[in-house]
Amino acid sequence: MAHSHLIVQHLLKQLELFALDREERDPRPEWLTGLVQRVAELFEPLTGVGRVGCECELTEIGWEARLFLGLAEIVGGKHDGQSRTTGFELDLVNLQGCFDLVDAVSWNVSSSEGEGGGSFLTVRGLVGPEPVCVKLYSRPPRDALPALRVRADGTVEEI
């Protein structure tokens, strides 16, 4: 074991490389990650718990972040295997406070089942000098997998 420090050094180097690799895989700037975290904290499920999902995309006018509460998959009982959406509230005053400047706010409602129905709120503005658009959806995207498993005994686990 005289050379055990070499193993520790190797593991530390692997951790450094993993951290660098993770940073390279996530192209979002830190300010955007911070904004998404602040906005995600504003979701208040009406019943039970919820897990916020997010998609970010760099557009020609700046970053766009799309947030939603993920599906909950029911495990056990008569609704086993079904997925459900989670209703929520969102504090709009505190949402506005996540921006340095808000240029526009709009509410979009679709009644067409072909488009998935539901609604979303759009907030455009600046975070520091950066233009950003945040969209908050009442439902997750069609192709979203469940974010939580809710068991018949009431326990919840993240997926």
Side-chain angles (χ1 to χ4, degrees):
M1 285 288 170
H3 298 287
S4 63
H5 69 283
L6 295 176
I7 295 171
V8 172
Q9 287 176 345
H10 175 73
L11 290 173
L12 290 173
K13 184 66 174 174
Q14 291 296 87
L15 286 173
E16 287 176 20
L17 292 174
F18 178 76
L20 288 173
D21 185 46
R22 185 179 62 213
E23 289 173 9
E24 289 174 9
R25 284 182 283 158
D26 188 358
R28 297 177 297 180
E30 283 186 38
W31 68 264
L32 181 62
T33 301
L35 173 66
V36 166
Q37 290 171 349
R38 289 188 305 276
V39 173
E41 291 173 2
L42 300 176
F43 281 81
E44 280 295 326
L46 295 175
T47 59
V49 296
R51 183 173 174 202
V52 178
C54 179
E55 298 173 343
C56 293
E57 178 181 8
L58 184 58
T59 69
E60 63 278 355
I61 59 170
W63 281 96
E64 179 176 291
R66 297 177 294 277
L67 289 86
F68 51 88
L69 277 188
L71 295 170
E73 178 183 35
I74 310 301
V75 178
K78 67 180 182 178
H79 299 291
D80 183 54
Q82 294 180 4
S83 293
R84 64 172 170 76
T85 59
T86 302
F88 63 90
E89 293 184 329
L90 198 111
D91 183 333
L92 298 180
V93 172
N94 282 329
L95 174 63
Q96 185 175 351
C98 293
F99 292 78
D100 293 312
L101 174 71
V102 173
D103 294 324
V105 178
S106 61
W107 181 31
N108 305 273
V109 179
S110 172
S111 61
S112 169
E113 286 302 316
E115 296 174 16
S119 64
F120 64 96
L121 181 72
T122 302
V123 182
R124 295 183 191 279
L126 296 175
V127 174
E130 303 292 338
V132 65
C133 175
V134 173
K135 294 185 176 184
L136 304 152
Y137 288 85
S138 63
R139 298 180 181 176
R142 284 183 185 263
D143 59 349
L145 297 173
L148 299 171
R149 281 195 186 104
V150 179
R151 301 199 179 276
D153 66 2
T155 59
V156 178
E157 66 182 54
E158 291 185 13
I159 298 177

